[in-house]
Amino acid sequence: QITLKESGPTLVKPTQTLTLTCTFSGFSLSTSGVGVGWIRQPPGKALEWLALIYWDDDKRYSPSLKSRLTITKDTSKNQVVLTMTNMDPVDTATYYCAHRQGDGYNLGYFDYWGQGTLVTVSS
Amino acid sequence: SYELTQPPSVSVSPGQTARITCSGDALPKQYAYWYQQKPGQAPVLVIYKDSERPSGIPERFSGSSSGTTVTLTISGVQAEDEADYYCQSADSSGTNVVFGGGTKLTVL
């Protein structure tokens, strides 16, 4: 059974760096074809894709946020970490991590999601 | 940047058929996926690769594709289907994940 859970601060100040951790079980990020992505959703708004990391450490980022994002993995801990620099109130959102399903390096889709974590950016 | 366009809202009566569209120039080349999201919950995949249904998803959910538009069809809509629905695909280069703006399905 695949499960994912996001953890991190619920409140960050403007200009600070956000670090979120996705801890998962039921699969290994060292298995060929596996990936984990991050998606966020501002209150009352649509989903927005942020980043994706593949089993072989290849990475993809949203073009609009690429300069602020870093995604890494710790296979031994079954964790994926997302950092976002220079946080702003418009970054207030629920942040989700999700298991990516797809063929090879095809971006694919997200078949299992974490419960999400609400991050508020405010001074 | 590439966009997927969905109608903001769709309303149907129980037992009727709901159709939610998603339009994008790259859809003839890229698969589309659909997610259902109920208030306060994470999205749930209901359709993958345009028309495939994951295990556990009721048969009343189906997907289709025609040119630059994909459609999620819910036949015999039930009250529990009231939710937001999002399409997802990739841009023409296949390097960026894109979500549609979402459609709120209201069951009258």
Side-chain angles (χ1 to χ4, degrees):
Chain A
Q1 179 189 3
I2 290 176
T3 65
L4 305 98
K5 186 173 184 178
E6 307 85 354
S7 59
T10 58
L11 179 65
V12 297
K13 297 184 186 319
T15 76
Q16 286 187 336
T17 294
L18 171 68
T19 299
L20 294 173
T21 300
C22 175
T23 303
F24 56 85
S25 63
F27 66 95
S28 172
L29 245 184
S30 60
T31 300
S32 179
V34 176
V36 171
W38 285 93
I39 301 100
R40 72 177 179 179
Q41 185 174 37
K45 296 189 177 181
L47 300 169
E48 179 184 19
W49 171 68
L50 301 177
L52 175 62
I53 190 165
Y54 292 93
W55 74 98
D56 62 353
D57 211 37
D58 195 10
K59 300 160 188 176
R60 300 281 186 272
Y61 294 102
S62 166
S64 62
L65 293 167
K66 184 175 183 177
S67 64
R68 299 173 54 204
L69 295 173
T70 302
I71 189 170
T72 60
K73 64 182 177 69
D74 186 330
T75 304
S76 65
K77 293 183 179 179
N78 280 353
Q79 291 181 334
V80 171
V81 174
L82 181 76
T83 61
M84 180 180 293
T85 61
N86 195 24
M87 293 292 285
D88 182 272
V90 299
D91 296 313
T92 294
T94 296
Y95 287 76
Y96 297 98
C97 64
H99 174 271
R100 168 262 184 191
Q101 182 69 260
D103 302 321
Y105 291 101
N106 184 301
L107 291 170
Y109 55 99
F110 303 102
D111 55 353
Y112 295 91
W113 295 62
Q115 64 189 22
T117 184
L118 176 61
V119 178
T120 301
V121 184
S122 175
S123 54
Chain B
S1 61
Y2 181 57
E3 293 183 353
L4 295 172
T5 301
Q6 299 180 234
S9 62
V10 169
S11 299
V12 296
S13 299
Q16 290 190 328
T17 296
R19 294 180 179 85
I20 300 172
T21 59
C22 172
S23 299
D25 289 342
L27 288 175
K29 296 195 305 181
Q30 302 289 349
Y31 282 125
Y33 314 95
W34 290 94
Y35 302 89
Q36 176 195 67
Q37 186 181 34
K38 296 181 179 179
Q41 298 183 19
V44 172
L45 179 74
V46 294
I47 294 290
Y48 67 99
K49 290 186 178 180
D50 291 346
S51 59
E52 300 295 320
R53 192 174 53 250
S55 60
I57 300 301
E59 291 184 6
R60 63 180 182 273
F61 288 87
S62 63
S64 61
S65 176
S66 179
T68 59
T69 299
V70 294
T71 302
L72 172 68
T73 300
I74 310 172
S75 304
V77 167
Q78 301 181 6
E80 65 195 52
D81 299 330
E82 185 164 285
D84 293 327
Y85 291 85
Y86 293 92
C87 61
Q88 177 232 312
S89 187
D91 60 9
S92 57
S93 66
T95 57
N96 298 302
V97 174
V98 181
F99 285 95
T103 298
K104 181 175 180 58
L105 175 65
T106 299
V107 182
L108 301 170

